[in-house]
Amino acid sequence: MDRIEIKLASDDFDAKTGEFAGYGAIFGNIDSYGDVIAKGAFKGTLREWEERGKYPPMLLQHGGGGFMSSADDMLPVGQWTEMEENSKGLKVRGKLFALSTERGQYIYEGMKSGALDGLSIGFRTKKFTMGTKPSEARRTLEEIDLMEVSIVTFPAHGKARVSNVKAAESVKTIREFEDFLRDVGGFSHAKAKAIAASGFKGHSDPRDEDGGALADLIRRNINSMKG
């Protein structure tokens, strides 16, 4: 049986529902293992998972993996609801399970505080090329078999971490609105700035909003731009 490899990356979290979105892997960056993941590496494996009608499991710290690990460590802590490969890397969206339980609340608080702020992929390598120069990556991973995506403490990719808690209700200023649109909506800097300028028009002071009306405004703008 081929060994399962682990790579680590980033994320973005919703304080109200336990839903979050981010990147399980980033393309083009040499990670702490000396590897770089090439664009296109996830296309085949994502197609296979979609044919099964589901996505890989969401684990915590790759299910432990140590000598003292228990069967409970391998239980999913949430569910991935979206996965796609884009120009940046493997973009994922999911939701934590059992927020009312002690374990669920512990994970939730860890992500909310930023202490538990990474994502990591577990996979088997299917195709790669070895670097030939000292300046090159040890390996360029061209095709992988994705086994799971975990919430972790230490990401291998420095650029891939849980950034901060993001909820529409927390947006109070136009700058926060722009950040929300870029981080959560996936818009470019220019498009986010244009949406924010239009959306806040007519509101004398966005900080006076009670949160609900502004959240509706954000959702309407996102839907209109993506629809």
Side-chain angles (χ1 to χ4, degrees):
M1 181 177 180
D2 295 337
R3 72 184 179 97
I4 296 177
E5 300 185 46
I6 294 170
K7 300 290 180 190
L8 304 114
S10 120
D11 220 23
D12 184 14
F13 189 67
D14 187 311
K16 295 287 186 181
T17 65
E19 296 178 353
F20 59 103
Y23 285 85
I26 306 295
F27 294 142
N29 294 309
I30 299 177
D31 63 26
S32 60
Y33 299 96
D35 294 337
V36 62
I37 300 176
K39 293 180 181 179
F42 296 101
K43 288 186 176 179
T45 191
L46 289 180
R47 184 168 55 249
E48 291 172 358
W49 277 104
E50 288 170 358
E51 288 173 354
R52 300 176 204 174
K54 61 180 182 179
Y55 291 112
M58 180 193 299
L59 301 179
L60 179 66
Q61 312 289 14
H62 300 288
F67 179 73
M68 298 299 291
S69 298
S70 68
D72 286 347
D73 290 331
M74 294 304 296
L75 290 175
V77 297
Q79 181 180 25
W80 297 114
T81 56
E82 295 178 31
M83 284 191 183
E84 66 169 335
E85 178 179 311
N86 61 21
S87 60
K88 182 176 179 180
L90 177 65
K91 187 174 183 179
V92 298
R93 184 177 299 275
K95 184 175 182 178
L96 294 175
F97 287 155
L99 292 181
S100 61
T101 67
E102 183 177 352
R103 189 186 191 205
Q105 190 64 24
Y106 185 86
I107 296 169
Y108 165 85
E109 292 294 342
M111 293 182 72
K112 182 180 176 181
S113 69
L116 187 61
D117 66 349
L119 288 181
S120 169
I121 60 173
F123 64 96
R124 295 188 181 97
T125 301
K126 296 180 73 174
K127 182 180 179 182
F128 69 91
T129 56
M130 296 296 297
T132 58
K133 301 177 182 178
S135 60
E136 295 178 342
R138 180 177 69 97
R139 297 184 306 172
T140 297
L141 307 180
E142 299 170 348
E143 186 177 353
I144 66 174
D145 183 9
L146 186 63
M147 307 301 294
E148 51 91 7
V149 182
S150 283
I151 300 166
V152 297
T153 306
F154 301 107
H157 284 284
K159 294 183 178 180
R161 287 187 174 272
V162 177
S163 56
N164 55 5
V165 175
K166 290 285 187 182
E169 288 80 3
S170 70
V171 176
K172 300 299 181 184
T173 69
I174 192 168
R175 179 60 60 84
E176 290 174 352
F177 191 10
E178 290 177 19
D179 291 342
F180 178 92
L181 291 168
R182 287 198 305 272
D183 296 341
V184 180
F187 294 104
S188 67
H189 177 79
K191 187 169 290 186
K193 194 174 185 67
I195 297 172
S198 172
F200 270 73
K201 189 181 297 182
H203 294 274
S204 58
D205 189 349
R207 293 170 294 182
D208 292 335
E209 296 291 332
D210 62 5
L214 187 53
D216 290 339
L217 174 65
I218 291 170
R219 282 189 286 270
R220 286 198 302 273
N221 274 277
I222 290 177
N223 289 336
S224 66
M225 292 298 292
K226 289 190 170 182

